[in-house]
Amino acid sequence: MASIFLLLLYSFATPAAQDKAQAEKELKILKAAISEIQEELEDNLAQQSQAQQKIKSIDKKLAEVTSQLRQTKKRITQANNKLQSLEVEQTEKIALREKQRQRLASQLRSAYIAGRQEYVKLLLNQEDPAKVSRMLEYYRYLNQARIDDIEELQQTLQRLQTIEQDIQSTLITLSDLEEAQVVQQKEQQELKKEQQVALNQLKESYSSQNSRLEKLRKDEQELAKVIRSIEKTLRQFAPKQSLAGLSKFKNKLQWPVKGSVLHRYGSNKLGNRLKWNGILIGSKEGDPVHAIHHGQVVFADWLRGYGLVVIVDHGKGYLSLYGQNQTLMKSPGDWVEAGEPVATSGGSGGSGQSGLYFEIRYNGRPQNPVAWIR
């Protein structure tokens, strides 16, 4: 199943799509492949406990609401910035309007006092024709200056009217967004409470340490199955020149998220009966999770025991895995650069602890991530 998915991923979802029609066709096929692998994961989930199924449902709903909330906050910031910019421009235009009014008023007063007497005097006194011409040109110039000032004042008044309309429209938008934010925040908090309840139910479903051990082993087996399918397909179908791997970047890669290491690679898990295949980095909920190197996303979905997971292929057998995320920011087929956000950290998958679960694998075998990060 995963082989079909990744074959299509590399055969159809590359950046080298020839034209729009072809790209749309390739995207349609890719989506069908993604749907197929998701159905397989759903079938696997159906065999799990109700508590595990509930955790997945809540994790996905929480991710959706949190993504919406993040977008709402972004739009609120944009609206506030726009409002601030409009208000600054409004202040500037009001000051300009007053200057233009004063200048025009001064010109009109001068014109009123002078009237047309100067023109009459010039004609009656039979002054030098050249001087008459210069004076008439001067008066035409003053006339045109007044006309220009009137037009500029009209433009300023029109812009002020537009600014006022934009301010009112932005204020309405801002009010709507703030109301939506309150609703989304409330929904987010309710889902977090449900998430905690589901986690407690999952813990209660383990009658003994052995049942907990069995669950953890099944989680690792499912992840290993996905990894094996990915590795097999990449060896068979991935373009050999597309990605150069990580071999030249040992001890040079950036940390995927800020935080301290809570569980180290190879340390004991559940007593001494299992070992950690990656590291758990303690981070704040919602912190951005960054790709450690250039690559292509080959998995972005919920996986039992690991929550919302992103797997990035770096080529030459190297994969990086980012688990228990709060939200996913990339989809299968997306190309990412080093340092680019791929998710936000959280506690999905029933971990009960905010942070990022991070692995690096080479030819399917877990590596010590700390040896690769500087």
Side-chain angles (χ1 to χ4, degrees):
M1 183 64 62
S3 296
I4 296 174
F5 164 69
L6 285 162
L7 170 60
L8 289 168
L9 178 65
Y10 278 96
S11 299
F12 297 102
T14 64
Q18 298 299 313
D19 51 45
K20 184 177 179 181
Q22 182 66 19
E24 289 177 352
K25 179 181 178 182
E26 293 168 358
L27 182 60
K28 184 177 180 180
I29 296 173
L30 176 59
K31 286 183 177 180
I34 293 172
S35 177
E36 191 174 348
I37 195 171
Q38 287 175 334
E39 286 176 7
E40 182 179 345
L41 291 172
E42 290 292 339
D43 291 340
N44 293 344
L45 185 66
Q47 302 172 12
Q48 298 173 27
S49 69
Q50 289 184 351
Q52 289 172 323
Q53 293 179 36
K54 189 172 183 179
I55 283 175
K56 177 183 179 180
S57 176
I58 294 171
D59 283 348
K60 288 206 161 186
K61 287 179 183 177
L62 183 57
E64 182 179 356
V65 170
T66 302
S67 295
Q68 291 172 353
L69 181 58
R70 183 172 62 245
Q71 289 301 315
T72 299
K73 289 180 177 179
K74 181 179 179 181
R75 291 177 63 193
I76 286 175
T77 299
Q78 292 172 341
N80 276 319
N81 290 340
K82 180 181 179 181
L83 185 61
Q84 184 178 4
S85 177
L86 286 169
E87 289 173 343
V88 169
E89 186 182 1
Q90 184 184 46
T91 300
E92 293 172 349
K93 291 298 183 185
I94 288 173
L96 177 61
R97 179 190 65 187
E98 296 310 309
K99 288 181 180 179
Q100 289 171 335
R101 281 178 172 175
Q102 290 173 10
R103 184 169 65 246
L104 186 59
S106 176
Q107 290 179 0
L108 291 173
R109 280 194 299 270
S110 299
Y112 176 77
I113 293 171
R116 300 182 62 85
Q117 296 178 20
E118 294 299 325
Y119 290 101
V120 175
K121 289 178 180 178
L122 283 171
L123 294 173
L124 292 178
N125 292 338
Q126 297 292 316
E127 294 187 25
D128 179 51
K131 186 176 180 181
V132 171
S133 178
R134 288 196 299 272
M135 291 298 294
L136 289 175
E137 183 63 28
Y138 170 71
Y139 280 109
R140 280 195 294 269
Y141 171 79
L142 291 180
N143 239 0
Q144 186 60 50
R146 283 195 292 272
I147 292 171
D148 292 343
D149 286 344
I150 290 171
E151 290 178 352
E152 289 177 5
L153 178 58
Q154 287 176 333
Q155 291 173 3
T156 300
L157 293 173
Q158 289 172 355
R159 180 55 187 159
L160 275 170
Q161 185 178 17
T162 301
I163 289 172
E164 180 60 31
Q165 292 172 350
D166 286 348
I167 286 175
Q168 294 304 317
S169 174
T170 304
L171 286 171
I172 292 172
T173 299
L174 194 56
S175 177
D176 291 342
L177 287 170
E178 287 172 344
E179 288 180 8
Q181 179 179 236
V182 171
V183 172
Q184 290 165 353
Q185 286 174 332
K186 184 177 179 181
E187 188 175 0
Q188 184 189 52
Q189 292 304 315
E190 291 297 323
L191 284 168
K192 285 182 179 179
K193 290 178 182 177
E194 291 182 27
Q195 188 182 52
Q196 187 59 48
V197 171
L199 177 60
N200 292 336
Q201 291 174 348
L202 182 63
K203 290 178 179 178
E204 291 172 2
S205 68
Y206 304 135
S207 57
S208 66
Q209 192 177 43
N210 286 335
S211 61
R212 169 67 172 161
L213 178 64
E214 182 183 359
K215 185 266 181 189
L216 291 174
R217 282 177 173 165
K218 285 183 177 179
D219 293 344
E220 289 190 357
Q221 288 170 3
E222 181 155 324
L223 174 59
K225 179 182 177 182
V226 172
I227 295 293
R228 283 196 302 271
S229 298
I230 289 173
E231 290 292 338
K232 180 180 178 181
T233 307
L234 291 178
R235 285 194 298 270
Q236 293 176 349
F237 303 112
K240 298 185 182 303
Q241 73 281 9
S242 60
L243 293 166
L246 301 177
S247 59
K248 296 181 181 180
F249 298 93
K250 200 162 188 177
N251 200 32
K252 296 180 181 179
L253 301 171
Q254 297 287 341
W255 285 81
V257 71
K258 293 181 180 179
S260 57
V261 177
L262 303 179
H263 294 287
R264 295 189 173 277
Y265 172 83
S267 62
N268 292 332
K269 181 193 289 189
L270 197 65
N272 59 356
R273 307 176 76 175
L274 283 177
K275 301 290 185 181
W276 284 86
N277 289 325
I279 59 175
L280 182 63
I281 305 172
S283 57
K284 294 179 181 178
E285 187 178 82
D287 279 356
V289 174
H290 306 279
I292 59 170
H293 193 63
H294 170 66
Q296 188 174 35
V297 176
V298 292
F299 186 88
D301 206 336
W302 193 91
L303 195 61
R304 58 173 292 174
Y306 299 91
L308 292 166
V309 174
V310 175
I311 299 177
V312 178
D313 171 40
H314 302 289
K316 307 296 184 183
Y318 288 96
L319 299 174
S320 60
L321 180 149
Y322 314 80
Q324 75 172 56
N325 298 292
Q326 183 185 57
T327 63
L328 302 179
M329 301 174 71
K330 298 296 179 181
S331 301
D334 289 347
W335 292 87
V336 296
E337 297 299 327
E340 185 175 351
V342 296
T344 58
S345 65
S348 63
S351 67
Q353 186 176 27
S354 178
L356 172 71
Y357 178 70
F358 176 61
E359 283 190 14
I360 292 178
R361 297 209 177 201
Y362 175 60
N363 290 335
R365 295 188 298 274
Q367 307 291 303
N368 184 356
V370 176
W372 292 84
I373 303 172
R374 59 185 172 94

